[in-house]
């Protein structure tokens, strides 16, 4: 059965309701969370949910002043229809809405199928980023950090806990001002060269972590030094680690935050956790905690193919 032309929903009262229904039916990727979709908006963009028949759809946004679009997550559709609705979406916005560029982020299987199906009037640039996401099987994680494979991590974490008074608190119960101050300290201490998502994180804090199944603050000697949180991926059950931030006040905090997250997930009964796609530096850090598997995500741009003269 052929897929019909899409509807472009721009009214917040409508688009988030329809997007939520689509996510409930077809969601399977980490970013398939209607609140996360809301958090993605900023002063320069508008969210536009691209709706197809049978509650299929695409989580998109567009720059207000330029014909530049983003597709923010995998297509919301049965696996057999995902690439089809993606191609229809792209054809429509390039031909009927004057798009000049679309930024996409796709998992490897969807990316490869899409490249094969790409119509001749469109072209995909080489990926700007090829990201790696680790998956942890929680029944294989040892919170006691026994054995040689955890030796260095165990030393860092234990030394930090001995030197400080540590509390783990529900972040939704804390002062928004204190949490925003923490985000500012995280931003100031950050040395990575990729884009800092401080506005995204501040939006989450101001909305008191709506859409999260858990948000926990690590308090060291009375001060917020870290935030961990995420949600259960729809229709699959595995957890997605949406963020793990710390203020860089101690070099052990990266390890402390990872062990807090893994230990909490195991106690909470989760079986599997997706710790998010990242670049090589971030992936190398996460590898120290011995993930059980990985998947690949491609970030790339689609634009109109040059016309032959």
């Amino acid at each position: 059965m052929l897929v019909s032309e899409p509807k472009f929903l721009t009214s917040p009262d409508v688009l988030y309701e329809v997007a939520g229904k689509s996510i409930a039916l077809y969601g399977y990727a980490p970013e398939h969370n209607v609140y996360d979709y809301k958090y993605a908006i900023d002063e320069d963009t508008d969210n536009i949910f691209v709706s197809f028949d049978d509650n299929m759809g695409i989580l998109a946004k567009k720059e207000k002043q330029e014909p530049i679009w983003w597709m923010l997550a995998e297509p919301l559709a049965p696996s057999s229809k995902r690439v089809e609705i993606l191609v229809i979406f792209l054809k429509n916005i390039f031909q009927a809405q004057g798009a000049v560029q679309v930024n996409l982020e796709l998992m490897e299987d969807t990316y490869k199928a899409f490249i094969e199906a790409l119509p001749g009037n469109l072209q995909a640039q080489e990926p700007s980023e090829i990201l790696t996401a680790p998956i942890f099987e929680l029944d294989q994680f040892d919170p006691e950090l026994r054995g040689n494979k955890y030796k260095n991590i165990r030393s860092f974490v234990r030394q930090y806990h001995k030197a400080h008074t540590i509390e783990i608190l529900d972040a939704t119960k804390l002062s928004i001002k204190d949490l925003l101050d923490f985000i500012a300290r995280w931003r100031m201490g950050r040395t990575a060269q990729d884009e800092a998502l401080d506005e995204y994180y501040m939006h989450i804090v101001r909305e008191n972590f709506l859409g999260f199944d858990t948000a926990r603050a690590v308090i060291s000697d009375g001060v917020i030094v870290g935030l961990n949180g995420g949600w259960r991926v729809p229709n699959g059950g595995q957890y997605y680690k949406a963020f793990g931030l710390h203020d860089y006040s101690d070099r052990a905090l990266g390890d402390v935050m990872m062990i807090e997250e893994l230990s909490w997930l195991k106690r909470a009964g989760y079986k599997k956790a997706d710790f998010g796609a990242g670049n090589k530096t971030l992936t190398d850090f996460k590898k120290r905690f011995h993930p059980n598997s990985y998947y690949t995500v491609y970030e790339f741009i689609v634009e109109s193919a040059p016309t032959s003269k």
Side-chain angles (χ1 to χ4, degrees):
M1 183 177 176
L2 294 176
V3 175
S4 66
E5 287 298 303
K7 297 176 183 177
F8 291 78
L9 306 180
T10 58
S11 168
D13 291 340
V14 176
L15 80 90
Y16 294 120
E17 179 182 357
V18 177
K21 291 178 181 177
S22 187
I23 288 170
L25 279 172
Y26 301 118
Y28 62 94
E31 298 84 3
H32 288 161
N33 179 315
V34 73
Y35 292 99
D36 188 54
Y37 186 31
K38 292 181 181 182
Y39 298 143
I41 200 169
D42 56 48
E43 63 182 13
D44 298 319
T45 60
D46 288 316
N47 280 357
I48 300 174
F49 185 69
V50 186
S51 177
F52 293 85
D53 290 342
D54 299 324
N55 290 298
M56 297 184 294
I58 286 174
L59 302 170
K61 72 175 183 176
K62 178 187 174 295
E63 284 196 13
K64 292 179 179 178
Q65 304 299 326
E66 300 290 339
I68 297 173
W69 290 68
W70 280 262
M71 179 179 159
L72 300 177
E74 291 270 308
L76 287 157
S79 58
S80 62
K81 294 289 186 181
R82 289 170 191 164
V83 170
E84 183 178 356
I85 69 167
L86 175 52
V87 169
I88 292 172
F89 159 66
L90 291 171
K91 284 182 176 179
N92 185 292
I93 62 172
F94 278 103
Q95 295 172 4
Q97 305 199 38
V100 298
Q101 176 181 303
V102 183
N103 301 270
L104 298 96
E105 183 175 307
L106 296 176
M107 295 179 183
E108 185 168 16
D109 288 348
T110 311
Y111 172 76
K112 290 180 176 178
F114 169 70
I115 294 300
E116 290 183 2
L118 192 66
N121 62 336
L122 299 176
Q123 65 179 10
Q125 295 183 8
E126 288 296 312
S128 57
E129 294 277 0
I130 300 177
L131 308 174
T132 303
I135 302 292
F136 289 85
E137 305 282 348
L138 278 313
D139 62 351
Q140 297 183 43
F141 169 69
D142 178 12
E144 299 300 322
L145 305 178
R146 288 169 287 216
N148 287 333
K149 72 177 184 178
Y150 293 120
K151 181 178 179 181
N152 291 334
I153 294 169
R154 181 171 64 241
S155 175
F156 281 130
V157 171
R158 288 181 177 175
Q159 286 178 25
Y160 187 84
H161 278 264
K162 286 179 180 178
H164 303 277
T165 300
I166 306 299
E167 297 177 274
I168 311 298
L169 300 181
D170 181 350
T172 67
K173 308 298 185 184
L174 301 181
S175 156
I176 290 178
K177 180 184 182 301
D178 289 347
L179 290 165
L180 292 175
D181 287 346
F182 162 76
I183 298 295
R185 294 200 312 278
W186 162 79
R187 181 67 178 86
M188 290 293 293
R190 190 173 182 274
T191 59
Q193 298 302 307
D194 57 328
E195 180 184 8
L197 300 177
D198 41 325
E199 288 294 334
Y200 168 78
Y201 296 130
M202 288 191 287
H203 194 173
I204 291 170
V205 167
R206 292 189 183 106
E207 294 296 327
N208 203 29
F209 304 93
L210 281 173
F212 281 69
D213 289 323
T214 177
R216 303 175 316 284
V218 176
I219 314 296
S220 179
D221 301 327
V223 177
I224 302 172
V225 296
L227 274 178
N228 276 330
W231 54 77
R232 190 182 295 272
V233 177
N235 301 313
Q238 76 180 20
Y239 176 86
Y240 171 56
K241 179 179 173 63
F243 60 66
L245 310 177
H246 64 83
D247 67 1
Y248 300 95
S249 56
D250 192 289
R251 71 192 199 105
L253 273 173
D255 289 2
V256 170
M257 296 301 295
M258 284 288 287
I259 296 305
E260 191 281 330
E261 185 86 279
L262 289 165
S263 299
W264 183 89
L265 289 168
K266 183 156 188 167
R267 290 195 306 271
Y270 285 94
K271 303 301 181 186
K272 185 180 291 189
D274 180 336
F275 269 49
N279 59 22
K280 184 178 186 303
T281 300
L282 188 56
T283 301
D284 286 345
F285 168 73
K286 294 174 184 177
K287 281 181 178 179
R288 297 173 55 244
F289 300 86
H290 306 285
N292 301 95
S293 61
Y294 302 87
Y295 67 88
T296 303
V297 174
Y298 295 82
E299 292 184 354
F300 65 105
I301 288 172
V302 170
E303 55 196 357
S304 295
T307 56
S308 57
K309 296 182 179 179

